[in-house]
Amino acid sequence: MSSSEIFHIEEPLLEFAHKQLEEHPKDGLYLYGPVNQAQHSQTLRFGCIGTGTGLDLLTDFGVRASGYIPPFKEDVAHHAAFPGIEAAFGMRWPDEPSAQIKVSESKVQKTIRITNRHEAIKKTVDIYADAIRDYLKKDADVTPDFWYVVIPDEVFQWGRPKMAPPVSDRTQGEALLGQRAAQALLNSPSMFAADNEEAELQLYDLNFHNQLKARLLSDTPVQIIRERTLRGFLAPKEEQHKHSVQDPATIAWNLCTASYYKSSGPPWRLKDIRDGVCYVGIVFKKDPTDAAKGNACCGAQLFLQSGEGLVFRGAVGPWYSKHLRQFHLSREKAKELMALVCEAYTEKHGEPPKEIFIHGRTRFNNAEWEGFLDGASEGSKVVGIRIRPTDALKLFRLAKQPPVRGTCLAVHQRMAYLWTKGYVPRFNTYPGFETPNPISVNIDWGEAEIDQVAKDILALTKVNFNGCNFADGLPVTLKFADAIGEILTAAPNLEGAPLPFKFYI
C-alpha cells in the first residue's frame, strides 16, 4: 500500500437465521430471525424484581412488546418498526415470569435517601441482591436465565456518584464514620470489628447499576430497567416527550435484543470471520477497593466464530505513571494476562489462536510487549493496536453529507484514520448531529496489514448486543472493556473465572 491512500471499506455483513445476510441488525431480525433460532418459538424465561408499580409496568411492557409497534417517524429510514418479540426473535413473552419478587417501595425510598451515600447505595443494592440470592438458593422448579430489575426513578436519580437528595429529604442511617476516618481505618484497621465493617462501606462504588451487577456476577445476569423508561414506552405518543426516553419501537428493539442475548446467546454474527483470530481490548480503572489506591487492568476478549465474549480482570497494582500520564503493566502481569487469553481461547476452540490482536488506548511499552510474547501460545502471532478517537483530522465531501462510514485514510503502512461514524447509504443520511471524527489506528507492535486491521475494527463496531444499533463508534473490544471495568471495580472481592459478556451488559 502506498502512503496517504484513501479508500472505502464496505459495510460488514451480519449473518442471521438460514445463513441470510444483512447490514442492519433490525433488518436481519425482522426478515429472518436470530442466527441460531430454534425451529419453534420458545418462551422467554426470566425472573423479575421490583416494587408493585414496577412489576405492573413490566407486565404491560410484555403485552405491548408482543405486538407490532410503529416507528417513531414513518418515512425516516433509521427509525424502524418493531414487529413484536416473537416475530423478531422467535421468543414468546410468558404469561407469568419464572420468578417474581416484590420489594417494598417505601423501604427503597427510605434507604436510597440515607445521608451517608455509601451506606445508602449499598443497602439499596442489598434489598435487590439479597432477595435474588435467597430465591436462587431455594430448590426452585425453574431457574431464570436472567432477571429484570425494575428500579424506581429515585434509585436511578440518587444512585449515582455526586448525586444526593436534598438535605431536608434525607434519612439517618447507621453509619457514623466520616469519609476520612473510614479511609484511615481501611489503611490501618481498628481493634473494633464494628468500626472496620462500617469503614468497608467505602469499598462499594457510588453507582447502584454497577454495584448491583458486580455483586450478582457469580449468581445471575441482570437487566436493569427504570420505571421511567417503561412509563415512557407505554405513554401515548403525544405524551412520550414528557418522560425523556427513547421512542417505544427503539426501546423494544434494544431491551428485547439484550434479553434474547442473556437468555439464548448472540442474535447475529459477523459473516466474514478469519479462522483462528482473537481480539482483546484492555483498559485500566481506578480500584477503590484497594487500600493502596491501585488500578485494575480489565479486558474484553471476543470470539468471532460464535459472537460470544469473555471478561477478565487482571491484578490491581501501581500501573499509572504520573510522569507519562499512562497506564502500563509489568512484564510479569502482561505475561499472565496473555496466558489467560490463550487458555480461554483454547478451551473454547480446542486449539490456540493463530492471531491475537490486542487493542488499547495507549502504546504498549517494551515490558508489556515482551510479557505478551512470553505468555502467548507457541505459534500464535501477536499484534498490538492503539485505537483512539481524535479530532486531529477533518474530512469533507463535496456533497452535503459527511464522509461515508467506512472511509479510511491510510497515512502509511502502520497508521490510518478510520471513520466508524458517518453517512450510511442504508439510511440515506448521517444518523448523527456534529461532523463525525475518525478514530486513529496504529499498529505499534507486530506485523499486520493496515487495511485488514481497519476492516476488522469496523466489523467489531457491529457486535454490541446491548441494543440493536446499526453500529457503534468504537470496536466492542474497547467499548465493553470500558463498561466492564466500571463493574469490576464496583465492589470488593470480585474474584473468579472469566465470565461471558452477558453478565456485564
Side-chain angles (χ1 to χ4, degrees), residues 435-472:
T435 302
N437 291 320
I439 58 174
S440 66
V441 180
N442 293 76
I443 304 174
D444 288 333
W445 297 96
E447 298 299 326
E449 298 292 334
I450 189 64
D451 55 341
Q452 183 63 63
V453 169
K455 183 178 179 181
D456 290 350
I457 290 173
L458 190 70
L460 290 170
T461 65
K462 298 180 73 77
V463 284
N464 178 3
F465 305 124
N466 199 28
C468 202
N469 301 319
F470 183 81
D472 292 323

Side-chain angles (χ1 to χ4, degrees), residues 9 24 26 56 62 94 121 129 171 175 187 242-243 250 273 282 304 315 321 408 425 453 473 481 501:
I9 302 171
H24 193 358
K26 292 178 183 177
D56 289 343
I121 295 173
T171 59
N187 293 320
K242 299 178 182 179
H243 300 273
T250 300
I273 301 170
I282 296 176
L304 289 186
S321 166
C408 187
V453 169
F501 283 170

